[in-house]
């Protein structure tokens, strides 16, 4: 590539301060350093985690958000042997170094080196940002910063996928859909014929419902405060719905009554602390398992009576559905290629990069599931 080793000037959507609309700016993107790759982003999508950190008053601004995306490797830094220019890739907000105890464990995906860090706005190797405007740094977000035509990532946060896979579709597998799917099939593991409650029917929750269906659950109860979600959720395997607003008793009690003692599994995909507690307290004693997926408010505290644990309920949590980004994500893409997993139904909107703020408006209004942002047209 003619651009390898050089600074690239390109467009990026910069968040100058918390909660203010992003502004498209020309940024300079430095070449990748050792164990880094520079990727040309073709499609990106907005996930709730971006919105949360964009709204939150963290000290890390100006910043380039975005972590759900698909692109093509433009150039690689020193020591990168597994990726080459032209490879089709999905960036991931958590990583897999392949060397640490977590990466070597069959159970964990919490890589010591590259696990999600929402406070870090710089690259690991030298503590610097690869983005700048007039020499002033613009910070990274979760090691991905995909709201830019070019971005630099650690090689461990990049999954190489089948080049035949359409990037405008499989880009949504780089975060939300894989997270929900994995939370069900890898972590909750509902037995065949079981009953599963899904709290929050956004992209992550709908993917969790889809995962529960793939695993063979027969009753899938969707819980959301937004009743507009219910009709759509039928396409993702939900068989029943509960809107906590329709009841004057706690939703866990409603669910326990509906299921004669509690659900077998629950997956929380809201980020709301009350929903997390409800998701735990609605599982059946003796065997029930609740899985937390939503990213809570930083001051949130989980409170429940310890007796709920003694009564043999299990509480778990997961990032990225327990998938190892480099090892497992290419196989999730293959599930799509083999038509075992549909992703089209998650993609309800699409806007050109110049209209990226519309994706934020749609999420604020709770409209649609995923909005794809097209970088090129
Ligand atoms: P979304 O906003 O599209 O969906 C969230 C849904 O939850 C909405 O429909 C909303 O109405 C509903 N909701 C909110 N509070 C509720 C409550 N108290 N009870 C019932 N329903 C409620 O968001 P998303 O993109 O699907 O993401 C869902 C959550 O997952 C977010 O917190 C996000 O940050 C998190 N997330 C976690 C991971 C991970 O690896 N753990 C990865 C991606 C996203
Ligand atoms: Zn690791």
């Amino acid at each position: 590539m003619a651009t390898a080793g050089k600074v690239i000037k390109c467009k990026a959507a910069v968040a100058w301060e918390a909660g203010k609309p992003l502004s498209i700016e020309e940024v300079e993107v430095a070449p990748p350093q050792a164990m880094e790759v520079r990727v040309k982003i073709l499609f990106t999508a907005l996930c709730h985690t971006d919105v949360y950190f964009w709204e939150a008053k963290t000290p890390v601004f100006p910043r380039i958000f975005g972590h759900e995306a698909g692109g093509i490797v433009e150039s690689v830094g020193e020591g990168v042997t597994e990726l080459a220019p032209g490879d089709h890739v999905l960036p991931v907000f958590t990583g897999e170094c392949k060397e640490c105890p977590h990466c070597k464990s069959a159970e964990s995906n919490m890589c010591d080196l590259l696990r999600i860090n929402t406070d870090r706005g710089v690259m690991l190797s030298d503590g610097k940002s690869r983005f700048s405007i007039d020499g002033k740094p613009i910070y990274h977000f979760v090691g991905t910063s995909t709201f830019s035509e070019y971005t630099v990532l650690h090689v461990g946060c990049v999954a190489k996928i089948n080049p035949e896979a359409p990037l405008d579709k499989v880009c949504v597998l780089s975060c939300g859909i894989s997270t929900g799917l994995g939370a069900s099939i890898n972590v909750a593991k509902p037995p065949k014929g079981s009953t599963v409650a899904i709290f929050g029917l956004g992209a992550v929750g709908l993917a969790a419902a889809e995962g529960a269906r793939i695993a063979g659950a027969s009753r899938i109860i969707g819980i959301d405060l937004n009743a507009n979600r219910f009709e759509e959720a039928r396409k993702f395997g939900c068989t029943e719905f509960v809107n906590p607003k329709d009841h004057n008793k706690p939703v866990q009690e409603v669910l326990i009554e509906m299921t004669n003692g509690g659900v077998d599994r629950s997956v929380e995909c809201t980020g709301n602390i009350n929903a997390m507690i409800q998701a735990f307290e609605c599982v059946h004693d003796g065997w029930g398992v609740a899985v937390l997926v939503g990213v809570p408010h930083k001051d949130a505290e989980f409170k429940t009576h310890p007796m709920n644990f003694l009564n043999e309920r299990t509480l778990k949590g997961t990032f990225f559905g327990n998938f190892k980004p480099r090892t497992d994500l290419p196989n999730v893409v293959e599930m799509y290629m083999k038509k075992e997993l549909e992703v089209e139904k998650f993609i309800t909107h699409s806007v050109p990069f110049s209209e990226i703020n519309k994706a934020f408006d749609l999420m604020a209004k709770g409209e649609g599931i995923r909005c794809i942002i097209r970088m090129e047209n």
Side-chain angles (χ1 to χ4, degrees):
M1 293 267 168
T3 45
K6 297 184 185 142
V7 168
I8 289 181
K9 283 189 182 183
C10 70
K11 289 200 189 90
V14 177
W16 290 101
E17 27 178 333
K20 294 276 158 63
L22 307 187
S23 97
I24 305 279
E25 309 277 356
E26 188 177 83
V27 297
E28 297 199 328
V29 186
Q33 302 300 305
M35 299 312 280
E36 295 175 359
V37 295
R38 190 161 56 185
V39 173
K40 180 176 173 47
I41 299 294
L42 293 179
F43 300 95
T44 183
L46 182 63
C47 165
H48 212 121
T49 313
D50 294 306
V51 178
Y52 176 74
F53 287 95
W54 163 75
E55 283 173 340
K57 310 251 175 295
T58 61
V60 197
F61 283 96
R63 200 170 204 187
I64 297 172
F65 286 98
H67 62 282
E68 199 171 284
I72 296 179
V73 174
E74 174 267 340
S75 62
V76 303
E78 211 185 298
V80 174
T81 52
E82 281 183 37
L83 288 170
D87 284 345
H88 286 215
V89 293
L90 302 184
V92 185
F93 65 85
T94 183
E96 182 183 355
C97 74
K98 297 194 175 178
E99 306 286 338
C100 75
H102 288 271
C103 288
K104 289 190 169 154
S105 149
E107 291 180 317
S108 173
N109 70 343
M110 296 298 294
C111 173
D112 272 337
L113 183 69
L114 300 165
R115 71 171 63 172
I116 183 171
N117 181 335
T118 55
D119 297 333
R120 190 175 56 226
V122 293
M123 297 306 287
L124 276 175
S125 64
D126 58 0
K128 289 187 182 147
S129 173
R130 301 285 170 264
F131 299 109
S132 60
I133 295 178
D134 298 331
K136 294 204 185 73
I138 309 292
Y139 295 105
H140 296 249
F141 177 62
V142 294
T144 53
S145 292
T146 59
F147 296 163
S148 176
E149 290 173 323
Y150 287 87
T151 189
V152 177
L153 306 101
H154 190 284
V155 66
C157 301
V158 181
K160 178 176 167 177
I161 62 159
N162 184 343
E164 307 275 303
L167 286 170
D168 61 334
K169 308 288 188 311
V170 298
C171 62
V172 295
L173 295 175
S174 97
C175 175
I177 314 306
S178 298
T179 293
L181 179 78
S184 283
I185 63 177
N186 298 333
V187 188
K189 297 185 183 157
K192 284 215 172 8
S194 59
T195 299
V196 180
I198 308 287
F199 285 75
L201 301 174
V204 178
L206 293 172
E210 188 82 0
R213 176 168 65 185
I214 292 171
S218 55
R219 276 180 87 182
I220 303 174
I221 309 172
I223 299 110
D224 203 297
L225 298 169
N226 177 358
N228 295 335
R229 294 281 186 197
F230 296 160
E231 208 31 62
E232 189 125 49
R234 290 192 189 280
K235 292 186 218 151
F236 300 83
C238 285
T239 55
E240 289 151 81
F241 300 97
V242 176
N243 187 338
K245 288 186 193 159
D246 294 344
H247 301 270
N248 47 22
K249 58 182 157 194
V251 69
Q252 49 276 58
E253 280 179 33
V254 176
L255 289 159
I256 287 168
E257 278 171 24
M258 280 171 72
T259 55
N260 220 346
V263 299
D264 303 307
R265 299 290 185 267
S266 73
V267 186
E268 177 281 327
C269 309
T270 69
N272 179 284
I273 185 65
N274 297 321
M276 294 181 186
I277 294 165
Q278 292 158 357
F280 174 59
E281 293 182 351
C282 77
V283 300
H284 207 291
D285 55 0
W287 60 77
V289 179
V291 178
L292 306 187
V293 178
V295 176
H297 190 275
K298 70 174 177 9
D299 302 318
E301 282 183 20
F302 190 99
K303 275 193 189 162
T304 192
H305 197 282
M307 196 54 93
N308 291 327
F309 291 98
L310 299 187
N311 288 341
E312 303 186 356
R313 294 182 183 87
T314 303
L315 179 63
K316 293 184 171 190
T318 174
F319 274 113
F320 201 50
N322 205 234
F323 285 120
K324 288 182 191 284
R326 292 155 93 186
T327 304
D328 299 330
L329 189 51
N331 299 330
V332 180
V333 170
E334 289 313 307
M335 279 177 79
Y336 167 76
M337 297 302 279
K338 287 187 242 154
K339 300 199 185 331
E340 294 164 9
L341 175 68
E342 207 187 311
V343 302
E344 286 82 355
K345 64 186 176 187
F346 289 95
I347 301 168
T348 53
H349 295 79
S350 163
V351 294
F353 190 34
S354 58
E355 293 172 23
I356 186 168
N357 288 303
K358 280 194 185 162
F360 282 72
D361 296 342
L362 287 166
M363 189 162 275
K365 284 191 247 157
E367 268 178 41
I369 307 170
R370 273 299 190 253
C371 178
I372 301 289
I373 297 148
R374 309 185 300 271
M375 304 306 283
E376 290 194 323
N377 57 64

